[in-house]
Amino acid sequence: DALEPQVFLTGEMGTLLTLDPSTGHWRRLDFPYDGSMFTLLATPGGALVTGGLRGLVFRSSDRGLSWQQASKPQTSSVVAGTVLSDGRVVIATQEGNLFLSVDEGASFEPLPIEDPKPVSDLLEGRPGELIMSGSFGVRVQRLPAAVAVAQQH
């Protein structure tokens, strides 16, 4: 039984909204942080992942009804993210550092990157590549294989 599509919007001062399809109006969701969030992603397994100020990342496994803070190293603001075709989640900080999740956004580990530059957006390019854009222009970053991330077991 497939879930109905859902539309979300995130923004300033802890604003997290969902579109109510029966009324066509936005409805505010309870969110545990009153800072700005800059990116919101949906994983293949149905989790929602949002990142923002102070490098905070939150995850919901129940379509936004409840949120838990993701485990990740302390960073500057998370400003962009993407879900790769293999289901891994990549987020980027305003300084250009990248972090990878293999558990649908519950935890993130740093991705090695040479000469990080401020990122405004990122997306998956060809297999194994991430395309990043920012004040530097556009650049391609090679990604490690899924098994290259340290396992937590």
Side-chain angles (χ1 to χ4, degrees):
D1 194 29
L3 295 173
E4 286 294 317
Q6 197 167 1
V7 178
F8 292 91
L9 176 73
T10 187
E12 298 286 325
M13 298 173 43
T15 299
L16 186 63
L17 308 172
T18 186
L19 185 62
D20 183 336
S22 65
T23 65
H25 295 151
W26 292 99
R27 180 174 48 87
R28 189 177 187 105
L29 296 173
D30 287 331
F31 192 66
Y33 176 60
D34 62 1
S36 298
M37 303 309 282
F38 303 121
T39 187
L40 179 64
L41 309 166
T43 69
L48 298 172
V49 180
T50 184
L53 282 178
R54 298 183 180 168
L56 295 176
V57 175
F58 293 90
R59 180 181 186 272
S60 173
S61 58
D62 57 12
R63 297 172 64 95
L65 296 177
S66 65
W67 294 86
Q68 298 76 41
Q69 190 170 342
S71 170
K72 68 172 264 312
Q74 179 62 38
T75 65
S76 62
S77 295
V78 173
V79 295
T82 193
V83 178
L84 304 176
S85 59
D86 64 7
R88 295 181 293 168
V89 178
V90 179
I91 57 173
T93 68
Q94 71 185 77
E95 295 168 336
N97 294 308
L98 301 177
F99 294 84
L100 180 72
S101 173
V102 297
D103 56 9
E104 298 218 335
S107 63
F108 289 85
E109 295 294 329
L111 273 175
I113 181 170
E114 287 185 33
D115 192 27
K117 302 261 191 252
V119 172
S120 59
D121 203 2
L122 60 127
L123 57 92
E124 185 174 25
R126 291 183 289 199
E129 292 182 347
L130 192 64
I131 299 171
M132 303 184 308
S133 65
S135 59
F136 54 85
V138 176
R139 89 188 228 194
V140 176
Q141 173 70 40
R142 295 279 313 151
L143 291 170
V147 295
V149 175
Q151 294 184 358
Q152 308 231 344
H153 309 314

